[in-house]
Amino acid sequence: MKKIINVLTSATILSTTVLFSGASTAAYEIKVNDDETIKFGGFIKVDGRHVTGNVAYQDFWIGTGTVLTEDASQTKFSVRESRINTTYTGYGVTAFIEMDFYGSGGNEVISNSSNPRLRHAMIKYEDFVIGQTWTTFMNTSALAETVDFAGAMVGEAFVRNTQVRYSKNGFSVALENPESYGGDPTNDSMPDIIAKYQFKGDWGNVSVAALVRQLTTLTGETESAAGVSIAGKINVASKDDFRFQLHQGNLGRYVGVAAATDLVGEEVEESSSFMVAYRHFWTEAVRSSVFYGNITTTESDVDRSHWGVNIFKNYTPKFSVGAEIGNFEMAEADADSSYMQVSAKLAF
């Protein structure tokens, strides 16, 4: 609690200058001819972030961090989450490409330039998707609405893969790019295989997914790995919702965003992770989310968690503001940092 109070005190100046938003989206459409259209969209997001504790500052919390010998406090402003995208639709084909600015580069000494980073580049034809996009193992509707990029990544399935996916009547199966994280990926010869079924209704949705992989150790041995996931978004009352994710097995890089590797030495890592979030609408324009995520592992003895609470307000359908406080903890290293983040977001 003392750290939270310190964060609020130190970050007071931020809340008066920079605010943040929820997940508003928009797009401009150009009709090329009777059969083809092109849409342009994206958003500009301005963040002000203050972090204090003995886990070093990050623009957003992933599943790991640098443990400091003593507490430090840092404040930064950033627009790197801003993104642009283009969607082409024509003759039964849809193509989508998107970039943000979390690529390399950027400093406060000269021009603070940041290189674009490819997020998605995929083509959809009938029931097939090919290209880079969210792994089939994910249920994107089960991500909490947060200021901190994607929230409690420690408990989330969160990775983009190049893949070939077939989907029909709620069922999806995919071959996805392999990567023996912590092992020898240069000898990965079998794609990851993922199957998922999603139940949908007026009540929301729930997905059940399974993952099977072949991993290559540093000594060239092959090891089998498998894991399962249950995730969903349940509608509550008039507009509220409850979001959850539960993951178990040899999931490695698929969950926790670098909290766990696929292999630890010659052993396949096993992890258990979860994320829960509740979103409440105070009014039509004002809403809040509270969320918590955790991951533990068997081989590396990781125990990491992230919680947060926020408030958003939409001033127009495309412009929203708000603030979030929370804490990221690496319990196995006796380290944690608290944060406050405020942002402004304009979708276009």
Side-chain angles (χ1 to χ4, degrees):
M1 181 59 69
K2 181 179 178 181
K3 286 187 176 181
I4 293 295
I5 294 172
N6 288 339
V7 169
L8 291 172
T9 302
S10 301
T12 300
I13 189 171
L14 300 183
S15 61
T16 62
T17 56
V18 181
L19 298 171
F20 82 99
S21 78
S24 55
T25 58
Y28 293 93
E29 182 175 311
I30 298 174
K31 192 172 181 61
V32 179
N33 53 48
D34 290 340
D35 299 301
E36 298 174 288
T37 60
I38 297 177
K39 294 180 180 179
F40 300 93
F43 59 77
I44 295 172
K45 185 167 182 278
V46 184
D47 291 304
R49 183 174 171 91
H50 179 83
V51 173
T52 183
N54 61 339
V55 179
Y57 177 96
Q58 296 179 33
D59 284 340
F60 54 91
W61 299 120
I62 57 174
T64 189
T66 301
V67 178
L68 305 174
T69 56
E70 58 184 31
D71 286 3
S73 295
Q74 187 170 0
T75 299
K76 292 188 71 174
F77 295 89
S78 174
V79 295
R80 299 179 72 185
E81 192 179 330
S82 303
R83 65 187 64 162
I84 53 176
N85 58 62
T86 302
T87 305
Y88 164 86
T89 305
Y91 305 103
V93 177
T94 299
F96 179 77
I97 187 167
E98 182 176 65
M99 295 179 291
D100 64 17
F101 299 90
Y102 276 119
S104 60
N107 64 74
E108 299 295 339
V109 177
I110 307 174
S111 63
N112 201 34
S113 302
S114 296
N115 294 330
R117 178 188 69 157
L118 180 66
R119 289 171 52 84
H120 300 271
M122 47 81 73
I123 301 168
K124 183 180 185 301
Y125 178 70
E126 295 185 348
D127 300 321
F128 288 90
V129 168
I130 56 174
Q132 176 172 302
T133 190
W134 296 117
T135 174
T136 309
F137 196 71
M138 281 182 68
N139 181 339
T140 55
S141 72
L143 297 173
E145 183 181 20
T146 61
V147 188
D148 182 70
F149 194 63
M153 288 185 174
V154 291
E156 297 173 351
F158 194 96
V159 67
R160 289 183 291 269
N161 282 337
T162 303
Q163 62 192 270
V164 178
R165 180 194 305 172
Y166 173 81
S167 300
K168 189 77 171 182
N169 298 324
F171 175 76
S172 297
V173 62
L175 300 178
E176 303 197 4
N177 206 40
E179 179 78 12
S180 292
Y181 180 33
D184 181 10
T186 64
N187 279 308
D188 288 340
S189 59
M190 296 291 292
D192 296 350
I193 303 172
I194 300 172
K196 180 173 72 177
Y197 187 80
Q198 190 165 38
F199 303 87
K200 293 182 179 180
D202 293 339
W203 48 270
N205 76 85
V206 172
S207 63
V208 180
L211 165 68
V212 178
R213 296 184 292 163
Q214 179 178 281
L215 303 172
T216 309
T217 71
L218 290 173
T219 61
E221 298 295 321
T222 57
E223 297 286 347
S224 297
V228 294
S229 170
I230 300 175
K233 175 184 174 183
I234 309 299
N235 298 325
V236 181
S238 57
K239 296 188 69 174
D240 293 7
D241 60 71
F242 172 68
R243 308 181 191 199
F244 69 94
Q245 301 187 35
L246 304 171
H247 315 290
Q248 177 66 46
N250 311 126
L251 295 172
R253 68 185 178 90
Y254 277 84
V255 300
V257 190
T261 57
D262 295 318
L263 293 153
V264 179
E266 296 295 295
E267 300 298 323
V268 179
E269 181 67 281
E270 182 172 350
S271 64
S272 300
S273 61
F274 70 92
M275 191 284 299
V276 290
Y278 189 86
R279 182 173 67 164
H280 174 67
F281 279 78
W282 303 101
T283 68
E284 287 294 319
V286 180
R287 62 200 179 276
S288 294
S289 288
V290 56
F291 61 92
Y292 177 82
N294 175 263
I295 186 170
T296 57
T297 64
T298 301
E299 299 297 328
S300 56
D301 293 323
V302 158
D303 183 358
R304 296 171 186 173
S305 59
H306 177 189
W307 67 263
V309 59
N310 56 50
I311 185 167
F312 297 80
K313 181 174 181 179
N314 276 80
Y315 285 92
T316 76
K318 298 181 180 181
F319 177 66
S320 52
V321 300
E324 180 172 299
I325 61 171
N327 180 268
F328 175 77
E329 181 182 20
M330 302 172 66
E332 81 282 359
D334 191 27
D336 76 297
S337 282
S338 298
Y339 72 99
M340 178 177 180
Q341 186 166 334
V342 290
S343 306
K345 180 178 175 183
L346 176 66
F348 55 85

